[in-house]
Amino acid sequence: MLSSSPGPIGIFDSGYGGLTILHGIRQLLPQYDYLYLGDNARAPYGPRSFDVVYEFTRQAVVKLFEMGCHLVILGCNTASAKALRTIQQHDLPKIDPNRRVLGIIRPTTEIIGSLTTSRHIGVLATEGTIKSESYNLEIQKLHPDITVSGVACPFWVPLVEYNEADSPGADYFVKKCIDQIMCLDPKIDTLILGCTHYPLLLPKIQKYLPQGVRVVSQGDYVADSLKSYLERHPQMEQKCSKNASVHYLTTENPDKFREQAQLFLHSPIDVETITLG
């Protein structure tokens, strides 16, 4: 039986990148409680099949519901691309029709129309997100006049997680993807970072981008979208507890999580290990 008492807002990611989403949300909405779950033991999700990503994500969402969350944000582009719709349409009516799961692709695509002048957009993301064409489909629904080009950047996540984002070796892999997407469509004037790890590579991304190309990181837009959602859904807002706390969960070694989280949060944290499945 799931609790009906107010609980934290859940934020799920396959790994550490969702910490950039959590940071952006807490900057704007510090009063709420948050429960962050990283499925680090089974990361990365990017190369995995739709069925596997869906099942792993469903397990995480159920766990967060069991721990008191009424609202869960999939702070992971791959999970948002491969699992969100099925969970919303198939699982929530059975688990609890009053609970909600939101993704991070829609908030970014909603704002993109006001950011581009040329109406040509680039998306840099994991292989799974690019193959899903989720950004293309969402942008076409909202802004049919926008042309979308996407490139997968499989080496970018390891660069961040092995603390190589500032290393000279990272330049080669960053420049390669930037050159590739600008070659696909030289008219691109706005570039979406469709993976929550990528903001940590921002200095190098901007170094190799042509002048005048805007880079869109998701954290701020997801935070704005969540704020708007809670204002429009006061019944859900009342189910979100407000003690300004944050608790971290991982399926991996807690010491490793603490070490990696420092790269994203720049402050020490406490973390608890749990199992999924």
Side-chain angles (χ1 to χ4, degrees):
M1 187 73 179
L2 297 175
S3 171
S4 59
S5 302
I9 296 172
I11 298 179
F12 169 68
D13 185 22
S14 59
Y16 306 99
L19 294 168
T20 62
I21 299 296
L22 172 63
H23 178 73
I25 291 173
R26 289 188 73 205
Q27 292 288 107
L28 187 64
L29 301 167
Q31 69 271 34
Y32 295 99
D33 296 323
Y34 298 95
L35 185 56
Y36 182 90
L37 169 54
D39 188 12
N40 308 88
R42 303 188 293 194
Y45 280 15
R48 294 187 181 273
S49 70
F50 272 73
D51 289 344
V52 170
V53 171
Y54 158 68
E55 181 55 29
F56 287 180
T57 305
R58 186 192 65 78
Q59 291 170 4
V61 166
V62 169
K63 175 65 77 172
L64 288 167
F65 285 165
E66 289 172 349
M67 297 186 78
C69 300
H70 294 267
L71 173 64
V72 173
I73 312 293
L74 301 185
C76 170
N77 283 274
T78 304
S80 296
K82 293 184 174 183
L84 176 63
R85 193 174 298 263
T86 306
I87 288 172
Q88 287 176 331
Q89 296 177 354
H90 180 262
D91 295 295
L92 282 183
K94 290 190 258 184
I95 298 170
D96 183 346
N98 295 314
R99 294 183 193 249
R100 292 290 178 267
V101 180
L102 305 176
I104 59 173
I105 291 177
R106 180 87 183 191
T108 314
T109 57
E110 284 176 342
I111 198 73
I112 209 70
S114 64
L115 301 179
T116 174
T117 303
S118 71
R119 316 308 281 174
H120 289 253
I121 296 293
V123 179
L124 298 177
T126 65
E127 181 185 0
T129 300
I130 295 298
K131 281 187 174 177
S132 75
E133 298 195 335
S134 295
Y135 276 97
N136 307 50
L137 296 170
E138 287 292 334
I139 290 172
Q140 286 300 308
K141 271 193 283 186
L142 297 170
H143 316 286
D145 62 317
I146 291 180
T147 299
V148 184
S149 302
V151 165
C153 308
F155 294 103
W156 285 21
V157 168
L159 283 172
V160 171
E161 294 199 349
Y162 286 101
N163 202 14
E164 294 290 326
D166 296 326
S167 72
D171 287 71
Y172 169 80
F173 294 105
V174 171
K175 184 178 187 301
K176 183 177 180 181
C177 291
I178 296 294
D179 290 349
Q180 195 176 344
I181 199 157
M182 295 312 299
C183 185
L184 266 181
D185 184 357
K187 294 183 181 177
I188 287 171
D189 72 346
T190 307
L191 189 65
I192 296 172
L193 301 184
C195 173
T196 50
H197 282 69
Y198 294 179
L200 275 74
L201 289 162
L202 196 55
K204 291 197 187 296
I205 292 168
Q206 290 173 327
K207 177 179 174 182
Y208 293 109
L209 266 180
Q211 195 170 358
V213 177
R214 177 199 290 255
V215 181
V216 176
S217 295
Q218 296 172 296
D220 294 340
Y221 299 111
V222 172
D224 288 338
S225 180
L226 177 58
K227 182 173 185 286
S228 173
Y229 178 86
L230 293 172
E231 288 169 351
R232 288 181 285 110
H233 298 85
Q235 287 179 307
M236 178 56 73
E237 197 278 335
Q238 289 160 18
K239 293 177 183 177
C240 299
S241 55
K242 303 173 187 68
N243 299 296
S245 72
V246 59
H247 187 61
Y248 298 91
L249 306 170
T250 178
T251 57
E252 246 284 13
N253 180 295
D255 293 332
K256 184 179 178 186
F257 187 92
R258 274 191 287 268
E259 182 183 325
Q260 289 288 326
Q262 289 266 25
L263 301 175
F264 294 86
L265 300 174
H266 309 294
S267 60
I269 62 161
D270 290 322
V271 60
E272 175 188 346
T273 299
I274 60 161
T275 55
L276 295 176

